[in-house]
Structure formats: structure tokens, C-alpha cells
Amino acid sequence: MPLPERHSAARELRAGMTAVLPLLIGVAPFGLIYGVLARGTGLPVAMAQAMSLLVFAGASQFLAVGLIGTGAPWPILLLTTVIINLRHLLYSASLAPHMRPLRPLWKWVLAFLTVDEVYALAISRYQRPPAGATGEVHWYYLGAGITLWASWQSSTAIGIYLGAKVPAAWGLDFTLALTFIGLLMPALTDRPSRTAAATAGIVAVLGWSLPLKLGLVLAAASGIVAGMLVERGFAAARTAGGTSPES
Amino acid sequence: MSSPALWLAIVAMGLITYGLRVSMIILFGRVAMPEVLRRALRFVPPAVLAAIVLPELLIPGGRFALPPDNARLVAGVVAAGVAWWTRNVFLTIGTGMALLWVLQLILRS
């Protein structure tokens, strides 16, 4: 392999690791709290850590621990896992065109690392790659993914170890909502995307009490449809000869 | 659930989550993606992120609340402003947490 290519791969890997660092101050406390909660419901240490290793999905792990605590049967546990993680189908589909040229092993590994934050970083890098990084973005994706994975494992372990020593009054769980706010705002690039976000947010609040977190699925679907409708409205206005509406 | 059943459930949860993550990447590595779907997927980040964030701000702790009973909503809106102007996640989280703690102190006294 020629040297310049290797250099840009290493640079992308480092860029991915750096990009994920600020997100870790949102993710690490969340991992910590997961560990605390898991121990609180009486889940054995090995199982609590195994769930982080194998499932590697924060929201889903929180719900699972809650369900196990209330003694829910396994079909409910698995069904909840499917529904809360359905958004990963969307992530997977949206990354797919960019990942087409990759070898299968890359696809299998990167897919495993695709949590919300890694998805948000990877897709925005794929959409707007910096000069010279085109074709090497999978290294960025890998760097962000393994860094987040390692931090999730270690913060979970610390939480399991600390047990109930982290006071709930600190409100550390709020860091995750703030992380998502930090990722959401830059994604609101035009009026269709802002409409998608507003619609999804409102539907999510209205559908919050639906069972099995179905509200999230419904909200994501409504948001996407709303965004497409507004975009189509723009296209129609343009072809009709009108001035393009301000976004 | 018994211990072996719990282990099985955890492994199954892992397989389900991984299956959802890898499925479309593999599928659309083999077949072309329909144009409608390609256009729809642009809205995945704003829609999904907003659907996660808004209930966290408006229904903290499982109960709908508005200020002054909802410090998280105030802190979240200010943090959103910081995120919009600075595009800096570090500053966003820092401002939001600092404001949450200050508001909690004020509201408690």
C-alpha cells in the first residue's frame, strides 16, 4: 500500500477518536449510572457487565434492567429490545450506501460499534468528508466506535463497583440528553430537517406513555415523513417558477 | 427468571441489537437502494435525535412538567442555544449541567 494512503488512514482514525472525546462526558456518566442501576436491581456483576459487552446500547440496557427488576418475562424483554432498537435499522440503512465499497469484515465490525453517537459522527463525516479523507472515513468511524465502546465498558465497570455510592441528586443522567442536544442542533441544516425534528419531538412527547417505547418509533416515522413532505413542497415551488423559499 | 434463562436473554438481546445494526448495511451492499428510501434517510438524524431529546426535557422523571417545576427544560433549552451557536458538544454539556445544578439549588432553597 502506498505511503500517503496509510497516512490519511491513520489521520482519520485519530480524528475519529478525537471527535468522540467531548461526547464521552455525556456517555461515561450514563454508563456509570447503568452499572449502579444494574447492581441495584440485583443483577449479578458478570451479567451486568456482559450486557454492556454484548448489547452495547444504553437506552436498551436501562430498560432491560428495569424490566428484569420488575420480574418481566423474557418475551417482553426481547420485544422491548426490538422496538427500542428499531432506530438502528434506520441508522444501518442510512450508512449502507457509504459502506458499500468496504470489505465484509469492516461492515461486521463497524455495525457492532454503531451506537447513536457513533452513527451521528460517522454519517456527518460521510456526508461532508474533509479534503483528502474521502474513501478513508471508515477509519474515522472505527476510531470513534472503539473509543466509545472502551469508555462504555470501563464506565459500566466503575458503576458496578461503586454501586449505590453515586447520589441521584447529582442528576448525572442528564448528561446523555445534553449529548443528544449537542448532536441534534448541527443536524438542523434546513427547513425540511427542522420540520422533521419538530414533528418527531412533538409526536414523541404525545406518544410517551405508549407501551414498549412505541412512541419513539412512531415519532421517528412521523418526523421523516414530515421532512419529506416539506422537501417535496420546496421542489414543487421551484419547478413552478417561484423563487426558492428561504430555508 | 433463573440465572441460565437470564444469560440466554442477555445473549438474545445482543443478537437482536446486532442484527438490527448490521442488516441494512449487508442488504444494501447487495441490492440498490430505492430512491424514495434514499431521500427519506436524510431525515433520520434530526428525527430520531429530537424524538429522544424532547421527552427527556418535557417529561423528566416520568412526569410532564413546565418551569419553574422543570429545571431540565430550562437547562436543555439554554444548552440547545449553546449547541446551535458554538457547535461544541463539550460546551453544550458543561453549560447544561452547570445550569441544572444552579437551578436545583435555587429551587430547593
Side-chain angles (χ1 to χ4, degrees), chain A residues 78-141:
Chain A
L78 298 190
L79 192 60
T80 310
T81 306
V82 172
I83 292 168
I84 187 122
N85 285 327
L86 267 183
R87 67 186 190 287
H88 286 289
L89 270 186
L90 294 173
Y91 295 166
S92 181
S94 110
L95 288 163
H98 304 287
M99 295 172 75
R100 242 187 135 127
L102 295 180
R103 277 197 303 228
L105 183 62
W106 271 102
K107 294 181 184 176
W108 294 105
V109 171
L110 291 179
F112 181 75
L113 299 171
T114 311
V115 289
D116 300 280
E117 295 83 357
V118 174
Y119 164 72
L121 288 178
I123 195 70
S124 79
R125 189 76 160 191
Y126 272 125
Q127 285 165 350
R128 290 173 290 275
T134 323
E136 301 289 348
V137 174
H138 52 290
W139 286 101
Y140 176 92
Y141 188 169

Side-chain angles (χ1 to χ4, degrees), chain A residues 22-23 25-26 43 46-47 50-51 54-57 60 64 68 72 74 77-78 81-82 85-94 96-97 99-100 107-108 111-112 114-116 119 123 169-175 177-188 190 192-194 196-197 200-202 204-205 208 216 219-220 223-224 227-228 231-232, chain B residues 1-26 28-33 36-59 61-64 71-73 75-77 79-81 83-84 87-90 92-97 100-101 104 108:
Chain A
L23 305 181
I25 54 164
L43 204 64
M47 283 190 198
M51 207 191 280
L54 297 175
V55 183
F56 187 40
S60 174
I68 293 168
W74 64 264
L77 192 61
L78 298 190
T81 306
V82 172
N85 285 327
L86 267 183
R87 67 186 190 287
H88 286 289
L89 270 186
L90 294 173
Y91 295 166
S92 181
S94 110
M99 295 172 75
R100 242 187 135 127
K107 294 181 184 176
W108 294 105
F112 181 75
T114 311
V115 289
D116 300 280
Y119 164 72
I123 195 70
W170 291 1
L172 279 186
D173 58 306
F174 192 50
T175 56
L178 291 169
T179 310
F180 285 126
I181 289 173
L183 294 170
L184 168 65
M185 302 314 285
L188 306 178
D190 52 9
S193 64
R194 286 198 280 273
I202 292 166
V205 169
W208 188 80
L216 177 62
I224 290 168
M228 291 179 80
E231 195 174 51
R232 179 167 301 177
Chain B
M1 269 187 273
S2 65
S3 180
L6 257 181
W7 272 115
L8 276 179
I10 288 171
V11 172
M13 281 178 64
L15 289 175
I16 288 169
T17 309
Y18 184 61
L20 292 168
R21 283 177 177 154
V22 82
S23 55
M24 296 293 130
I25 292 172
I26 300 301
F28 291 118
R30 292 184 185 158
V31 302
M33 184 178 284
V36 178
L37 185 58
R38 208 185 50 72
R39 287 203 305 118
L41 292 170
R42 173 162 96 80
F43 298 110
V44 170
V48 175
L49 291 170
I52 296 173
V53 165
L54 237 69
E56 290 281 332
L57 298 184
L58 282 168
I59 318 174
R63 206 176 54 87
F64 182 85
R72 288 188 176 206
L73 180 57
V77 169
W84 177 257
R87 313 263 140 156
N88 181 324
V89 184
F90 194 82
T92 304
I93 300 174
T95 313
M97 282 315 285
L100 178 70
W101 286 330
Q104 279 179 344
R108 209 173 296 151

